[in-house]
């Protein structure tokens, strides 16, 4: 059985689209567990649950995404879990592509391929494509070829149930924590480049900083939470791939935007160092809603 876990917060409109996209996949043996703390999103979920037996609403206590995931892990009946968010949209056939690598019993998790819905004709839109196509897609292909560890995308991933029972409640980067825990249990992690998930990335610099500060900052938590260093993302690893970034732009304007992105990432890692290592901010202090991605 397949258990699809969708976490959401104040996303009453996008959660409907997310759920219907899964229902359209014509899966055979599955359940959709949609979890949210707010009434508006809960109402949207329950409106679909009333007409489709596969959809179930779970009340989120509102203590953060890790707590919501831990609650869903306990309630999930499937031997395979699909983890995703209420503000993204899977492409047709994405789930079948994600499940293929699991035919190998040594594989414990599979990552999807996020694609921005943002247009490339703005600086932040261009950044979203560069970071996903070069920073994430190309990097995962490289790691897959080397048959080594990679972090699954938190936008959409599948994992075998019961490898892990829970994740630390303070996790900022739940995708990194889950991926590392599965790898530490002796399982392989694979990438399904044809499993497309459509994602809207921030359209303001303020939201961009907020989102990246939270997600990238979570990687600095790994030594404290799991006793390990990140194997995929860090300031040092990112700096070593600058040549990849510089190979992406095609016009003078895009080269300028790429240069500004490099400066922005330097500023971002500085903020992350302050947040995690000096101020030691908690999940509650760091997690903020990114309005422009909704």
């Amino acid at each position: 059985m397949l258990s699809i876990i969708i976490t959401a917060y104040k996303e009453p409109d996008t959660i409907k689209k997310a759920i219907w996209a899964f229902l359209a996949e014509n899966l055979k043996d599955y359940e959709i567990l949609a979890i949210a703390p707010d009434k508006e999103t809960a109402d949207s979920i329950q409106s679909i649950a009333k007409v489709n037996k596969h959809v179930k609403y779970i009340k989120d206590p509102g203590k953060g995404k890790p707590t919501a995931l831990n609650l869903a892990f306990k309630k999930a009946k499937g031997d395979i879990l699909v983890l995703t968010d209420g503000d993204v949209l899977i492409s047709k056939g994405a789930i079948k592509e994600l499940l293929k690598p699991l035919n190998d019993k040594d594989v414990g998790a599979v990552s999807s391929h996020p694609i921005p819905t943002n247009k490339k004709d703005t600086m932040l839109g261009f950044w979203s494509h560069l970071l996903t196509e070069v920073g994430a897609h190309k990097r995962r292909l490289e790691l897959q070829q080397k048959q080594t560890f990679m972090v699954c995308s938190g936008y959409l991933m599948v994992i075998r149930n019961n490898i892990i029972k829970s994740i630390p409640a303070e996790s900022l980067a739940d995708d990194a924590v889950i991926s590392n825990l599965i790898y530490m249990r002796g399982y392989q992690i694979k990438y399904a480049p044809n499993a497309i998930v459509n994602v809207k990335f921030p359209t303001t610099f303020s939201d961009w900083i907020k989102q990246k500060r939270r997600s990238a900052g979570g990687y600095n938590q790994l030594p404290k939470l799991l006793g390990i260093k990140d194997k995929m993302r860090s300031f040092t690893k990112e700096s070593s791939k600058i040549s990849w970034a510089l190979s992406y732009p095609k016009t003078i304007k895009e080269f300028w935007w790429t240069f500004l992105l490099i400066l922005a990432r330097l500023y971002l890692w500085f903020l992350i160092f302050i947040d995690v290592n000096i101020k030691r901010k908690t999940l509650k202090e760091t997690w903020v809603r990114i309005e422009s991605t909704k």
Side-chain angles (χ1 to χ4, degrees):
M1 185 178 184
L2 193 67
S3 292
I4 300 164
I5 298 172
I6 308 176
T7 53
Y9 174 61
K10 291 187 178 180
E11 294 156 350
D13 297 324
T14 57
I15 189 70
K16 284 185 177 181
K17 295 176 181 178
I19 292 173
W20 282 113
F22 280 105
L23 293 174
E25 287 290 275
N26 294 318
L27 302 170
K28 291 183 179 180
D29 188 17
Y30 71 102
E31 62 178 356
I32 297 177
L33 306 179
I35 180 166
D38 60 289
K39 185 179 184 303
E40 295 82 3
T41 307
D43 289 345
S44 289
I45 297 168
Q46 290 172 325
S47 68
I48 302 177
K50 289 178 181 178
V51 298
N52 193 294
K53 65 179 182 179
H54 294 290
V55 181
K56 302 173 184 177
Y57 165 68
I58 299 177
K59 174 64 177 177
D60 183 347
K63 296 181 179 179
K65 185 178 178 181
T67 299
L69 284 173
N70 289 338
L71 180 58
F73 289 162
K74 292 180 181 179
K75 294 183 177 294
K77 298 176 181 178
D79 53 347
I80 301 295
L81 307 181
V82 178
L83 308 182
T84 188
D85 294 329
D87 59 351
V88 302
L89 198 63
I90 64 166
S91 64
K92 188 174 179 59
I95 301 304
K96 291 180 181 178
E97 290 293 328
L98 280 174
L99 295 177
K100 286 179 182 178
L102 292 178
N103 289 327
D104 182 345
K105 294 183 179 180
D106 291 330
V107 176
V110 185
S111 176
S112 66
H113 180 185
I115 295 290
T117 59
N118 311 60
K119 294 182 179 181
K120 292 173 67 174
D121 58 359
T122 66
M123 183 180 75
L124 288 170
F126 175 79
W127 285 7
S128 70
H129 283 269
L130 189 156
L131 290 172
T132 52
E133 293 173 33
V134 177
H137 174 61
K138 187 175 180 179
R139 179 65 170 152
R140 287 193 176 101
L141 288 175
E142 177 190 52
L143 294 172
Q144 178 133 293
Q145 186 176 22
K146 293 180 178 179
Q147 297 185 350
T148 188
F149 172 79
M150 73 179 76
V151 172
C152 292
S153 169
Y155 292 118
L156 178 66
M157 61 191 289
V158 296
I159 66 173
R160 294 190 188 277
N161 198 2
N162 295 318
I163 296 179
I164 56 175
K165 299 293 186 180
S166 64
I167 61 174
E170 281 295 309
S171 304
L172 287 171
D174 51 272
D175 49 3
V177 171
I178 291 170
S179 300
N180 275 284
L181 285 173
I182 290 174
Y183 189 74
M184 290 165 67
R185 301 291 192 274
Y187 288 88
Q188 298 175 18
I189 297 178
K190 296 296 184 179
Y191 178 43
N194 293 324
I196 304 298
V197 56
N198 301 290
V199 183
K200 183 182 179 183
F201 286 85
T203 58
T204 69
F205 183 70
S206 174
D207 275 358
W208 186 88
I209 285 290
K210 290 175 184 176
Q211 185 190 67
K212 303 303 180 184
R213 198 172 183 174
R214 182 182 73 209
S215 60
Y219 287 74
N220 274 14
Q221 286 184 312
L222 295 180
K224 176 184 176 181
L225 294 179
L226 305 180
I228 61 171
K229 290 185 178 181
D230 173 48
K231 305 178 186 69
M232 184 171 170
R233 187 192 297 185
S234 67
F235 173 75
T236 303
K237 290 181 176 64
E238 198 167 285
S239 299
S240 68
K241 301 299 182 182
I242 288 179
S243 60
W244 283 11
L246 293 175
S247 68
Y248 186 75
K250 305 300 181 185
T251 66
I252 293 176
K253 181 169 64 175
E254 289 181 350
F255 271 105
W256 173 242
W257 285 344
T258 303
F259 174 71
L260 292 178
L261 174 60
I262 293 171
L263 293 181
R265 297 297 292 191
L266 287 171
Y267 174 59
L268 173 67
W269 283 108
F270 171 75
L271 292 178
I272 290 169
F273 178 81
I274 298 296
D275 285 348
V276 176
N277 298 289
I278 297 180
K279 293 184 177 180
R280 301 184 183 278
K281 287 188 174 182
T282 64
L283 172 68
K284 186 176 181 180
E285 292 173 311
T286 307
W287 196 97
V288 289
R289 180 175 165 83
I290 313 302
E291 295 294 342
S292 67
T293 63
K294 310 304 177 186

